[in-house]
Amino acid sequence: MKTILLLFILFSATNIFAHNGKWTRMHPENHPSARELFGMAQLTDGKILLFGGNNITQHELNNDTWIFDLATKQWTIINTIHKPAERFRHGMANITDGKVLLFGGQVLSGNTHVEVNDTWIFDIETMDWEELIPVDSAYPRERFNISKLTDNRVLIFGGNVDLPGDDFWVHASDTWYFDLQKNRWKRVGYPSGFFIDGREAGQMAYLDNGRVLMTGGWHYKYLDDNYIFDYLDIDILDYSLDTINPKSNIPKVVGSSMANLCEGSILLYGGNTGTWQFIDTWIFSIKDTSWKELKLTSPPERSAHTISKISDNKVILFGGNGYDYEGEYNFNYSDTWLFEYEPNDVEENENSKTAGIIQNGDRAKISIPSDNSIHNPKLKIVDICGREIFIDYSFSNSADSSRIEFSTTNLAAGVYFATVKAGAEVWNFKFFAE
């Protein structure tokens, strides 16, 4: 049985809906050491995986494995039997529930950092790493973009690449995907006339099933371009690459991090925009193809950190590098932050009227003012991701009010929004189920 905690406020159709969210500092008893340029990805709902990274003050690479559990708000170090070599500037992404893929990065060879192209899978069932030997592999690279594409597939783009026969790395502009079931990396060819600048330190995140958003990075200048890769059937080159021009855009940024919030929405936090200026919290929505800055109390400014989705509308931030006021970074962070998203937060206006949403057992009741012109009001329920939830409801009318009733039995715990439309009038409610 679900419980609706509280009624909220009843509004007219002139209501304001705004993106909203909050950052909360976590204080786990144990946590990874201070570091930057590490890998982090969602492992399963409520858990994320962290591996490796660099400490700039101690000049050391790491190959430790940690899991953060949202239920306990604690980090736990995992002593695996097998594990990748110490590294940084690698990429990690959830590839299927309970499994995370790690690819590439830089390892230490003698006194030199070299790019590698090894592929590893961490499995929550075995709590261990397994190195895969793919049929084909992408070129060695570091500081590339990576994201889950579909179940069992991960997409990468660009980075600093050590090409065969070259004595130096280049900003690559190639796209590859890894198929877990086929244990194979495959290069994706671009449509004729389509070209994307190579880059390092850009951002890529899962948008919804089969679609990935990429933005920003460095290609001898700061970038703020936006692309969507849309997967249809990649094995027969049935896909699209689209340049999008957002109605509003983020600043040009390097060393930021992006994560999926829920279908169609992405969170971006931090990064350097040049002259040691940093950005805070931004949201991308595919519904209106726009970036919007959230004016929040945020974690300290930083870059080379990582954020990762841990559950719907919840993102974990860890680490990165901090800067002094002379523009030289001189320390790494080891702090953990939780971001919680409420995309349709409701703000009261002057004409609002109070009303109640109450529950009797597993039945919820909404009352709106009675009006002879109101006949059979319509109810719509959406979850925090904006997904419409089917609700079977009943309607009754009295001298004082019109009452709508529906069952909350099948609602998962979380925040919901109810819209009642009757004639030309619209009322909006925010409520909770648990």
Side-chain angles (χ1 to χ4, degrees):
M1 179 185 298
K2 309 299 184 294
T3 301
I4 293 182
L5 299 181
L6 187 60
L7 148 65
F8 247 31
I9 298 175
L10 175 68
F11 290 94
S12 69
T14 58
N15 232 15
I16 299 172
F17 286 83
H19 294 279
N20 195 21
K22 65 177 180 179
W23 286 101
T24 304
R25 174 83 182 264
M26 302 286 99
H27 296 280
E29 295 176 6
N30 301 303
H31 56 78
S33 59
R35 65 190 68 195
E36 63 177 357
L37 301 168
F38 52 93
M40 194 165 78
Q42 184 177 21
L43 182 57
T44 189
D45 188 46
K47 291 182 172 64
I48 57 168
L49 184 76
L50 181 149
F51 179 85
N54 176 54
N55 185 292
I56 58 176
T57 57
Q58 298 179 12
H59 306 288
E60 66 179 12
L61 299 183
N62 299 292
N63 68 339
D64 47 351
T65 302
W66 293 78
I67 290 178
F68 183 80
D69 189 331
L70 185 60
T72 63
K73 298 181 174 58
Q74 297 295 327
W75 285 100
T76 302
I77 190 166
I78 308 300
N79 295 312
T80 61
I81 298 172
H82 310 94
K83 56 185 173 182
E86 295 91 344
R87 71 189 62 206
F88 70 148
R89 298 182 172 184
H90 50 291
M92 287 169 51
N94 175 270
I95 193 166
T96 192
D97 187 45
K99 294 182 180 181
V100 166
L101 176 137
L102 179 150
F103 177 76
Q106 283 191 330
V107 303
L108 194 61
S109 177
N111 295 320
T112 305
H113 291 127
V114 297
E115 291 80 28
V116 292
N117 66 340
D118 49 346
T119 302
W120 293 76
I121 293 288
F122 183 89
D123 191 334
I124 197 171
E125 290 189 1
T126 62
M127 295 296 268
D128 201 8
W129 289 97
E130 178 188 2
E131 183 175 10
L132 305 183
I133 309 299
V135 177
D136 299 301
S137 188
Y139 303 131
R141 67 191 63 213
E142 50 97 3
R143 299 205 83 178
F144 52 93
N145 296 331
I146 185 168
S147 171
K148 179 175 182 175
L149 179 60
T150 65
D151 200 36
N152 292 310
R153 289 184 173 93
V154 161
L155 191 74
I156 66 171
F157 174 85
N160 294 325
V161 176
D162 184 9
L163 294 175
D166 284 342
D167 295 328
F168 56 90
W169 53 257
V170 298
H171 287 155
S173 60
D174 54 345
T175 300
W176 296 73
Y177 76 96
F178 180 76
D179 189 316
L180 182 60
Q181 294 179 327
K182 296 180 179 179
N183 189 26
R184 177 184 181 184
W185 284 98
K186 186 173 182 180
R187 186 168 182 173
V188 179
Y190 296 154
S192 177
F194 195 96
F195 179 77
I196 304 175
D197 282 331
R199 67 197 63 202
E200 63 171 308
Q203 296 75 236
M204 182 184 283
Y206 178 87
L207 189 59
D208 50 31
N209 189 36
R211 289 197 299 179
V212 167
L213 175 72
M214 182 176 76
T215 189
W218 171 261
H219 182 65
Y220 310 111
K221 62 180 179 180
Y222 291 84
L223 303 173
D224 64 350
D225 47 355
N226 295 269
Y227 298 91
I228 289 179
F229 184 97
D230 192 348
Y231 166 90
L232 298 171
D233 189 338
I234 205 165
D235 289 322
I236 59 172
L237 300 182
D238 191 4
Y239 64 91
S240 67
L241 288 163
D242 300 304
T243 304
I244 60 173
N245 297 305
K247 296 177 181 178
S248 57
N249 204 9
I250 58 169
K252 298 177 180 180
V253 64
V254 168
S256 185
S257 187
M258 292 201 314
N260 175 265
L261 283 168
C262 55
E263 289 188 5
S265 295
I266 285 173
L267 177 76
L268 180 145
Y269 177 77
N272 186 3
T273 63
T275 62
W276 312 110
Q277 301 297 312
F278 300 84
I279 65 175
D280 287 329
T281 308
W282 291 72
I283 296 286
F284 177 84
S285 173
I286 192 62
K287 291 180 181 179
D288 58 1
T289 60
S290 66
W291 283 101
K292 296 177 181 177
E293 184 176 11
L294 305 189
K295 302 296 185 180
L296 306 174
T297 300
S298 301
E301 59 189 24
R302 68 192 68 198
S303 66
H305 56 289
T306 303
I307 64 173
S308 173
K309 177 178 181 176
I310 194 167
S311 189
D312 263 0
N313 300 287
K314 293 181 173 63
V315 165
I316 293 294
L317 160 69
F318 182 80
N321 57 41
Y323 290 74
D324 64 26
Y325 291 103
E326 282 70 46
E328 296 293 335
Y329 62 83
N330 57 2
F331 64 93
N332 288 140
Y333 289 106
S334 62
D335 50 349
T336 303
W337 293 77
L338 171 67
F339 177 80
E340 297 172 279
Y341 181 45
E342 294 187 5
N344 288 320
D345 194 47
V346 179
E347 298 180 6
E348 185 175 1
N349 64 12
E350 293 181 358
N351 297 322
S352 66
K353 304 174 183 178
T354 60
I357 185 170
I358 58 175
Q359 179 175 351
N360 181 9
D362 62 358
R363 300 292 295 178
K365 301 177 182 179
I366 297 176
S367 295
I368 61 175
S370 177
D371 189 316
N372 291 332
S373 66
I374 294 177
H375 299 285
N376 195 22
K378 303 298 183 183
L379 172 70
K380 182 172 76 172
I381 303 281
V382 298
D383 66 11
I384 200 167
C385 295
R387 296 176 292 223
E388 188 167 346
I389 308 297
F390 173 77
I391 292 289
D392 188 13
Y393 65 93
S394 61
F395 164 71
S396 62
N397 192 284
S398 68
D400 298 324
S401 68
S402 297
R403 178 171 293 172
I404 297 172
E405 297 187 27
F406 57 92
S407 172
T408 61
T409 303
N410 296 323
L411 291 181
V415 179
Y416 294 86
F417 303 93
T419 297
V420 178
K421 184 174 182 180
E425 297 296 322
V426 176
W427 296 267
N428 300 295
F429 302 86
K430 173 183 175 182
F431 65 94
F432 302 85
E434 67 173 19

